[in-house]
Amino acid sequence: MSEVQIKKLANGLTMIAEPMADVSSGSFSIRLPAGTARENIGLNGLSSIMTDLVFRGTEEMDSRTLSAKLDSLGLHYNSGSSNLYSSFSGALVADKLGEALKLHADVFMRARLEEEQFELCRESALQHLDSLEDDPRQKISMLAFENFMMVPYGKPSVGKEKEIQAISHEDALNFYKRFYNPNGAIIAVAGAIEAEATFAMIEENFGSWQGEKLDVLPKAKYQCLNSHQHKDGAQIHIAMIYPSVNIHHEDYYKAKAAVAILSGGMGSRLFTEVREKRGLCYSVGASHTMIADQGLIMGYVGSSPDKAQEALDVMKNEFVNLANGISEDELDRAKIGLRASLIMQGESSGARAGGCAGDYALLGRVRSLEEIEKAILDLSVDDVVGFAKANQPEEFTITTIGAKELI
Amino acid sequence: MEFKTETLENGLTIVGEIMPLSRSAALGFFTRTGGRDETAEISGVSHFLEHMMFKGTKKRTALEVNLEFDRMGANYNAFTSEENTAYYAAVLPEYVDNALELWCDLLRPSLRVEDFTIEKNVILEEIAMYKDLPQFDVLDRCRKLHFGDHQCGNSVLGTVQTITDLKCEQMVDYFNARYSPDNMVLVCVGNIDWDDFVGQVRQHCSSWQAYKPKRILSDFAGTGMLNVLSDEKIQREHICLMASAPSAQSDKRYAASLLSNIIGDDGNSRLYWQLVDTALADSADLEYDSMDGTGAFYCYLSCEPEKADRVLDIAKKVFANIRTNGVSEEELEGSKNKLASAMTLSGELPMGRFVPLGYDWIYRKKYRSLADSLKELQGVTVKDINAMLEQYDFSNLTVQGLGPCQRLG
């Protein structure tokens, strides 16, 4: 595997390139320091509106021309906002990467941001928010993060109705000026590419981009609120969160393995106890994730009103029970699962571009797949149980949507 | 990359696309069975059976099956549609033999009553989950409305009633009638030693008995009916429109894929500019579903109930406009680029080639490399699309509404 190359431009933009053998595709993953944590108080939803608005025309092209250009490249595209960043990622045939990135330089530096288009973006954001009422599985994790974190973190990217209504065109212009900014921005590219040529191409397109130095965001803190939203549905949707370590902590991989034991494959504890043995749900799982620098473990289950309390109790018990011990076989299964998904990730340029940008955003460097693999394979049963003991859930943030409240 | 195929004496076909440089492999079975092959009494049995397939065999308990997949680090699952049930796993090359032996064993399941009774609850939870998602429910209802008495209108999940009433013996009978080796295809892609693979399949599957199961095949143009189910608990109005489309065997299917992309891709399409860009709807898309002997276009719209009539009217005008004026060269090129790029990107991974390979065999008994498929796609002209529009013109639309509205149109 080729080495990952990293280079920083004078304007603060970090470039990352990972050349890959045996693929013809090229993927990019761009992070701009324009996440929800940067929204002013009372303007939640602005970050996400901006990811829509910036593509509605540049100095040279209107919205339709820009869309047609992107389509002509066969670009497969995703954009969105999280706490720290707005992300723009795409995959296409590698020889067209340059053209795709050039269009992004236009979008990040020379977007039109017309008032009429802003109004449409705001209306779209309201429509999207409203549609989540019919999608409780999506809505529950948003509510759960907000319950768990203290502001400015945990805010949903989709925003809140009153706050979206309060956002003005001027707010949008200011947000673009301040946070569509090369300081702290990352462009990662992976696939059938050559690192030096890729850097030269990025520098040519983004080298003249300038922006102010941004304030450092406050440290993340959690608060553990609970909430219940009444909805006469066929299932009660339950999310539970408790704090864990972050990626800088020496126990990080122990935490990852612990969650894989709970929810890696279909032989893992949650699937076995909640679904296979008791038939309490269709969908159940847990994940280890981070919001800014706060690590957390989140579980989800959806279950009928007559079974939901039992499903919640069994799940809580499984989280607590980790500290009472795990078997060698369980750890081996978790390791193999993590290793296989790492190797399969290494086959996909999109997964690698995202991995490079994500690692750099969190760590200021990019871990090689070998480094991650070694850290996982070196873990012992005592390591993982030790982590579970030190990180016992003292209280859960419990968020529910459904026909009745649980205890 | 090399294509291979072999058929055993009992009719089980094996197809493979061998990529020696891959870091993984994908393998699994396609069975030509689904909702359309069920009677009303056992509605949902295909999908329930797919779940039961993981519950063990004479050699393995349910828990052992799950543990064994996990010990390979397999990325595995299964899905059931109106007409196919597929079981698949992506594994590292060193686990191909193990994964193959496991699938071959699982596809002759024990179907024990104890497991059946517990799993019934899981199926009922799955039905409940989809009931809470009107964006899925409306498509299911529209399919039923569109196909009327035709088998393709059968529900995949079944109902709470049919699942509750279903008996294990009925499932055993259904299994015996449908999982015949001549009704199945074993597909493998990636880093695989073909001769060795085929030798092992012979060992595991030669004893399977064949009995030539049948399927009722007929085309159906759709009822063109309108139905509105009013439910105040739902926030948005969810609308599904269906129209007839070319079948999976038709040479018009690439034209149909391109047309549905031009009309209803989720960005830069006719419906997008009319309804999503303008913030009238939060979703407005069109999908083409090619099926055995028939086919359908599905259009899904979601909006505020107050705007439902307007949104529906605009969508209908989009279809009328296409019918009268056809599509432009520029639109066609854009959609070709999007679809070709999607096929190329997913074709880089073994799992991405698994499904196209399976469908080419199940429906057409023919191998197409990625390059063949791209060539066919690129060969479609504006004339081809306009010719297809003469037969499939969106004039007979079936419409299902689900949400607060009492009536539509």
Side-chain angles (χ1 to χ4, degrees):
Chain A
M1 188 176 296
S2 306
E3 284 292 300
V4 174
Q5 307 270 336
I6 303 177
K7 195 173 167 187
K8 201 163 178 174
L9 293 177
N11 62 8
L13 173 69
T14 301
M15 308 181 287
I16 307 172
E18 180 169 337
M20 293 168 69
D22 310 324
V23 297
S24 60
S25 63
S27 293
F28 61 88
S29 178
I30 304 175
R31 312 273 161 121
L32 303 186
T36 51
R38 295 287 184 184
E39 294 164 342
N40 283 344
I41 292 169
L43 301 182
N44 183 205
L46 177 53
S47 166
S48 184
I49 285 176
M50 292 310 295
T51 61
D52 181 1
L53 180 58
V54 292
F55 280 95
R56 292 182 179 233
T58 61
E59 279 170 14
E60 287 172 16
M61 285 174 269
D62 67 7
S63 183
R64 279 182 188 248
T65 315
L66 183 57
S67 288
K69 275 248 179 187
L70 290 167
D71 281 359
S72 74
L73 303 175
L75 179 66
H76 280 260
Y77 200 69
N78 259 309
S79 66
S81 280
S82 62
N83 281 266
L84 298 182
Y85 292 96
S86 284
S87 307
F88 306 85
S89 54
L92 70 176
V93 182
D95 56 12
K96 299 205 173 141
L97 260 171
E99 287 177 69
L101 288 172
K102 189 169 183 296
L103 289 170
H104 279 78
D106 269 351
V107 164
F108 296 157
M109 287 184 256
R110 293 174 286 276
R112 284 189 189 178
L113 313 176
E114 292 159 331
E115 183 155 15
E116 184 192 347
Q117 292 295 329
F118 164 76
E119 290 300 337
L120 287 175
C121 290
R122 187 165 63 164
E123 183 57 28
S124 279
L126 289 167
Q127 298 297 322
H128 177 59
L129 180 67
D130 192 45
S131 76
L132 290 178
E133 292 305 315
D134 289 338
D135 197 349
R137 287 189 59 178
Q138 271 221 42
K139 190 168 182 202
I140 188 104
S141 54
M142 280 167 31
L143 292 178
F145 289 139
E146 198 168 13
N147 282 336
F148 180 67
M149 295 300 291
M150 284 172 78
V151 287
Y153 301 107
K155 288 190 280 184
S157 65
V158 294
K160 297 186 194 66
E161 189 180 351
K162 288 232 164 62
E163 301 193 18
I164 294 171
Q165 281 162 347
I167 297 169
S168 69
H169 182 229
E170 205 189 334
D171 293 327
L173 298 178
N174 285 334
F175 194 86
Y176 183 75
K177 198 170 156 220
R178 288 198 69 196
F179 303 117
Y180 278 61
N181 180 335
N183 280 297
I186 301 162
I187 299 183
V189 180
I193 57 157
E194 199 270 307
E196 280 311 313
T198 304
F199 288 161
M201 177 266 291
I202 296 175
E203 185 162 7
E204 189 191 326
N205 287 303
F206 295 89
S208 65
W209 191 12
Q210 294 298 328
E212 63 182 287
K213 263 227 166 316
L214 297 174
D215 308 336
V216 177
L217 285 163
K219 214 177 139 40
K221 289 191 186 128
Y222 61 87
Q223 58 183 2
C224 285
L225 302 178
N226 296 329
S227 76
H228 171 72
Q229 182 192 327
H230 183 81
K231 183 180 167 73
D232 275 322
Q235 284 191 318
I236 300 181
H237 302 268
I238 307 166
M240 58 201 87
I241 299 183
Y242 67 101
S244 177
V245 296
N246 68 22
I247 196 166
H248 304 289
H249 197 283
E250 58 176 3
D251 285 350
Y252 179 70
Y253 292 103
K254 300 174 193 168
K256 284 289 212 193
V259 172
I261 286 167
L262 283 171
S263 183
M266 293 195 201
S268 61
R269 291 189 178 186
L270 291 179
F271 199 82
T272 304
E273 295 300 325
V274 187
R275 176 167 151 167
E276 299 288 85
K277 286 192 187 164
R278 296 179 177 83
L280 297 173
C281 67
Y282 171 71
S283 188
V284 61
S287 57
H288 189 281
T289 182
M290 280 172 63
I291 293 182
D293 51 0
Q294 177 64 50
L296 61 96
I297 294 172
M298 174 156 96
Y300 165 82
V301 66
S303 184
S304 296
D306 58 327
K307 298 178 190 156
Q309 185 68 52
E310 188 185 352
L312 174 61
D313 294 341
V314 173
M315 269 185 93
K316 274 187 184 170
N317 188 47
E318 288 306 319
F319 284 117
V320 173
N321 208 16
L322 261 185
N324 295 331
I326 60 169
S327 70
E328 285 285 349
D329 187 54
E330 276 185 301
L331 180 60
D332 285 344
R333 279 186 276 127
K335 284 181 181 178
I336 294 165
L338 292 167
R339 179 171 168 264
S341 60
L342 268 179
I343 292 173
M344 291 185 202
Q345 247 186 53
E347 290 187 303
S348 153
S349 64
R352 283 313 303 148
C356 287
D359 265 17
Y360 193 85
L362 293 169
L363 286 168
R365 67 184 186 93
V366 175
R367 297 169 297 168
S368 67
L369 295 180
E370 290 80 0
E371 177 192 339
I372 302 173
E373 187 176 347
K374 182 168 184 319
I376 291 166
L377 293 182
D378 283 351
L379 293 171
S380 69
V381 163
D382 288 345
D383 285 337
V384 179
V385 174
F387 161 77
K389 281 186 173 148
N391 199 71
Q392 281 274 26
E394 280 163 18
E395 75 180 310
F396 291 96
T397 290
I398 307 242
T399 310
T400 50
I401 299 177
K404 72 177 190 196
E405 206 167 345
L406 305 174
I407 40 169
Chain B
M1 192 264 294
E2 201 184 347
F3 174 70
K4 298 279 195 179
T5 181
E6 178 88 31
T7 301
L8 305 190
E9 291 67 24
N10 60 12
L12 177 66
T13 300
I14 315 163
V15 295
E17 198 168 87
I18 310 303
M19 310 169 170
L21 291 177
S22 277
R23 278 179 258 182
S24 68
L27 66 141
F29 283 93
F30 279 78
T31 305
R32 208 166 160 256
T33 203
R36 69 185 287 174
D37 304 298
E38 300 168 354
T39 57
E41 196 191 348
I42 56 166
S43 174
V45 70
S46 306
H47 168 254
F48 191 169
L49 175 59
E50 173 228 294
H51 280 233
M52 287 300 294
M53 222 49 103
F54 292 88
K55 294 294 170 190
T57 62
K58 286 184 194 123
K59 286 202 264 182
R60 292 169 162 105
T61 66
L63 181 62
E64 281 164 359
V65 172
N66 288 341
L67 294 181
E68 208 167 328
F69 273 120
D70 286 358
R71 278 189 198 108
M72 294 185 258
N75 185 354
Y76 68 106
N77 213 331
F79 64 82
T80 307
S81 71
E82 295 79 44
E83 52 189 20
N84 293 300
T85 311
Y87 303 85
Y88 57 91
V91 291
L92 301 180
E94 58 264 40
Y95 295 112
V96 166
D97 294 354
N98 191 341
L100 174 65
E101 191 276 326
L102 183 52
W103 277 132
C104 293
D105 188 37
L106 293 184
L107 271 281
R108 299 291 112 176
S110 288
L111 305 178
R112 290 175 274 254
V113 176
E114 317 81 273
D115 296 326
F116 178 88
T117 310
I118 292 188
E119 198 61 19
K120 194 177 260 198
N121 291 306
V122 175
I123 303 289
L124 291 171
E125 287 296 333
E126 191 174 355
I127 292 174
M129 177 182 87
Y130 282 110
K131 194 168 183 312
D132 280 351
L133 297 171
Q135 54 276 51
F136 287 95
D137 199 20
V138 74
L139 302 190
D140 237 29
R141 290 175 186 280
C142 195
R143 193 188 313 107
K144 174 86 212 149
L145 185 70
H146 178 78
F147 280 106
D149 291 336
H150 187 277
Q151 305 78 19
C152 286
N154 293 356
S155 161
V156 173
L157 285 172
T159 64
V160 171
Q161 193 64 54
T162 60
I163 295 299
T164 307
D165 292 347
L166 192 72
K167 291 185 180 62
C168 197
E169 307 91 83
Q170 291 173 298
M171 181 180 281
V172 173
D173 290 344
Y174 178 83
F175 172 82
N176 287 330
R178 301 300 306 174
Y179 278 72
S180 171
D182 52 0
N183 206 35
M184 300 166 81
V185 181
L186 173 57
V187 179
C188 62
V189 186
N191 190 337
I192 280 167
D193 179 335
W194 173 255
D195 292 332
D196 188 53
F197 190 86
V198 171
Q200 292 184 51
V201 179
R202 280 191 189 285
Q203 240 179 31
H204 302 318
C205 306
S206 287
S207 63
W208 296 5
Q209 294 290 316
Y211 35 80
K212 298 198 184 309
K214 293 204 171 50
R215 164 176 286 171
I216 306 164
L217 275 186
S218 58
D219 197 0
F220 188 71
T223 60
M225 286 165 74
L226 165 75
N227 182 267
V228 179
L229 183 68
S230 176
D231 183 344
E232 290 287 336
K233 294 198 295 288
I234 297 173
Q235 185 86 2
R236 315 278 292 176
E237 192 63 20
H238 300 263
I239 304 168
C240 180
L241 287 76
M242 281 180 72
S244 66
S247 75
Q249 287 84 11
S250 166
D251 57 8
K252 296 188 174 74
R253 63 185 194 284
Y254 283 97
S257 289
L258 287 161
L259 179 63
S260 75
N261 190 274
I262 290 168
I263 298 175
D265 188 28
D266 57 10
N268 197 21
S269 64
R270 299 249 183 138
L271 289 170
Y272 174 84
W273 291 111
Q274 292 285 325
L275 293 169
V276 180
D277 182 70
T278 54
L280 289 169
D282 59 277
S283 277
D285 51 45
L286 184 70
E287 297 277 343
Y288 163 52
D289 189 14
S290 63
M291 302 171 73
D292 209 356
T294 188
F297 290 111
Y298 288 74
C299 171
Y300 169 70
L301 309 166
S302 161
C303 61
E304 281 176 278
E306 299 74 32
K307 292 183 187 152
D309 281 336
R310 193 169 152 210
V311 165
L312 180 58
D313 190 49
I314 291 173
K316 284 181 173 171
K317 282 191 177 128
V318 166
F319 291 122
N321 186 292
I322 282 274
R323 183 159 60 236
T324 320
N325 302 317
V327 302
S328 74
E329 289 286 352
E330 205 188 345
E331 285 176 309
L332 178 59
E333 278 313 305
S335 287
K336 276 185 186 176
N337 282 325
K338 283 193 264 188
L339 294 185
S341 160
M343 281 158 71
T344 308
L345 291 172
S346 72
E348 288 187 350
L349 304 176
M351 202 55 234
R353 283 294 295 156
F354 175 81
V355 171
L357 206 61
Y359 281 157
D360 270 325
W361 210 265
I362 281 269
Y363 288 124
R364 298 173 281 275
K365 294 256 186 306
K366 191 174 169 186
Y367 170 68
R368 264 186 198 78
S369 67
L370 179 57
D372 296 336
S373 301
L374 287 170
K375 209 174 141 197
E376 277 200 59
L377 180 82
Q378 296 293 359
V380 175
T381 62
V382 165
K383 222 175 120 191
D384 293 333
I385 292 192
N386 292 341
M388 184 196 64
L389 274 166
E390 283 180 18
Q391 193 180 348
Y392 301 100
D393 68 357
F394 298 95
S395 57
N396 189 32
L397 290 169
T398 305
V399 182
Q400 173 72 53
L402 176 62
C405 291
Q406 299 285 343
R407 45 192 288 273
L408 283 174

